[in-house]
Amino acid sequence: MIGSCLRIASAQYPIGRFSSWGEWRAKISAWVADAVAMGAQLLLFPEYSSLELASLFVPPVRSDVRRQLDALQDLVPAYLNCHAELAQRHRVYIVAASLPIRFGRGYRNCAYLFSPDGSRATQEKLMMSRSEEEEWGVVPGETIRIFDTALGRFGIALSYDIEFPLIARLQIESGAAFILTPSHTDTPSGYARIRISAQARALENQCVVVHAVTVGRAEWSPAVGVNTGVAAFYLPPDCHLCDDGVLVSGTRDSPQWLYADISPVGLEVVRTEGEVLNHRNWPRQFPLLGRSVEMIKL
């Protein structure tokens, strides 16, 4: 990362319902403008909030997830162009709400990153939830990426991906300074799994994990009808940063942007002078993997 602080905005984004494409575009434009007005340089939207666009379809389509995903493909070019234009206009980086992109006979859940020059890159979700795999026809991506930007290097771990430690670890070891986690959860337990995992990844890698969530109810949608969670910025709990590992968190289920200024200096210090050195000590566990487990009967 660069030496100065980086201001990141993480969304608690409400699923809406629209009568026209223009109405949706106005909503996204207003959200981006609000974050920019607060000085955000990197904006993170949640997983699958793009599915609010299915409200534009006729009832038989919007009430069926598979038909929704198929119909959404016609909107993908305009969706991507809208975010590219907003990133260029405001000179910011935007991680747009992930959306299903047709891949063979199924779909991949793709989070697109847009840069201030309008270029784009994507991280596909790597680990499928049960609903994606069993009901939606979403298939895993294949590549773990990090993004090298003017704001620094970072990775994207889409929702369920953050529950698997080796994905984030490979991103960190490849140079990522922080991890972005867009999620969609419809139960308190689902949200808790993502939150706990995000905090664990921040602790073990001594890095920042930024969590964005969907909120609110959309009774018309079988895909994103119920949404619950809290956006947050997680750090390793240490004397140089914050005691409980939560830099800032939102108001549960309330639409809002959440902001934090992230300094790379604090992370560098905690990795060398912290109370513990999880990042440095990570390889020390590997010799244990080749040993047998002793059973002690008492």
Side-chain angles (χ1 to χ4, degrees):
M1 292 177 65
I2 57 178
S4 59
C5 283
L6 162 65
R7 171 157 284 200
I8 302 175
S10 182
Q12 287 187 190
Y13 184 85
I15 300 298
R17 187 171 185 174
F18 309 98
S19 59
S20 69
W21 172 266
E23 188 178 345
W24 171 82
R25 184 185 175 96
K27 177 185 178 182
I28 290 297
S29 299
W31 269 74
V32 170
D34 287 348
V36 171
M38 294 299 293
Q41 300 160 277
L42 171 61
L43 286 60
L44 176 64
F45 285 94
E47 178 189 42
Y48 282 139
S49 59
S50 60
L51 296 185
E52 66 182 359
L53 283 168
S55 64
L56 298 174
F57 304 146
V58 296
V61 174
R62 67 171 178 252
S63 63
D64 183 292
V65 174
R66 292 290 187 110
R67 294 184 68 181
Q68 272 190 34
L69 302 192
D70 183 60
L72 278 168
Q73 303 311 301
D74 292 336
L75 300 181
V76 168
Y79 180 86
L80 300 181
N81 289 337
C82 174
H83 287 89
E85 189 273 330
L86 289 170
Q88 284 184 289
R89 184 198 312 169
H90 295 288
R91 307 303 299 168
V92 294
Y93 288 87
I94 300 173
V95 178
S98 74
L99 73 166
I101 300 295
R102 185 179 287 117
F103 181 83
R105 300 177 68 178
Y107 304 90
R108 285 184 175 175
N109 182 6
C110 298
Y112 282 86
L113 168 66
F114 298 88
S115 72
D117 66 6
S119 59
R120 66 190 68 163
T122 185
Q123 174 64 63
E124 299 166 339
K125 193 172 183 178
L126 304 167
M127 304 295 293
M128 296 298 96
S129 69
R130 289 193 63 187
S131 58
E132 287 173 309
E133 186 173 35
E134 298 172 11
E135 301 171 22
W136 296 17
V138 179
V139 299
E142 298 176 347
T143 305
I144 299 174
R145 296 187 171 98
I146 61 168
F147 302 94
D148 188 3
T149 75
L151 303 178
R153 294 176 178 171
F154 56 88
I156 299 173
L158 268 159
S159 199
Y160 194 37
D161 287 351
I162 200 67
E163 297 186 32
F164 296 86
L166 295 183
I167 293 174
R169 187 66 191 187
L170 285 170
Q171 291 171 323
I172 294 297
E173 290 184 348
S174 297
F178 55 94
I179 304 294
L180 305 179
T181 297
S183 78
H184 153 69
T185 49
D186 58 1
T187 63
S189 56
Y191 159 68
R193 288 192 296 270
I194 301 297
R195 174 183 58 80
I196 292 167
S197 299
Q199 288 195 263
R201 303 297 83 80
L203 183 154
E204 65 203 16
N205 294 296
Q206 294 183 297
C207 72
V208 179
V209 178
V210 185
H211 185 195
V213 302
T214 54
V215 297
R217 300 184 70 88
E219 306 293 348
W220 57 267
S221 174
V224 289
V226 180
N227 305 271
T228 186
V230 177
F233 290 74
Y234 300 116
L235 299 175
D238 203 293
C239 58
H240 296 292
L241 298 174
C242 53
D243 289 337
D244 63 358
V246 182
L247 179 62
V248 61
S249 63
T251 301
R252 191 180 186 94
D253 295 335
S254 297
Q256 66 180 117
W257 278 116
L258 197 66
Y259 303 95
D261 296 318
I262 304 300
S263 169
V265 175
L267 293 175
E268 292 169 2
V269 169
V270 79
R271 286 182 177 181
T272 57
E273 301 178 22
E275 296 170 352
V276 291
L277 300 174
N278 302 75
H279 179 269
R280 189 193 71 182
N281 293 337
W282 176 272
R284 296 185 182 181
Q285 64 188 308
F286 297 150
L288 299 173
L289 301 180
R291 300 177 188 175
S292 60
V293 177
E294 295 184 2
M295 176 70 73
I296 308 297
K297 186 175 181 178
L298 298 176

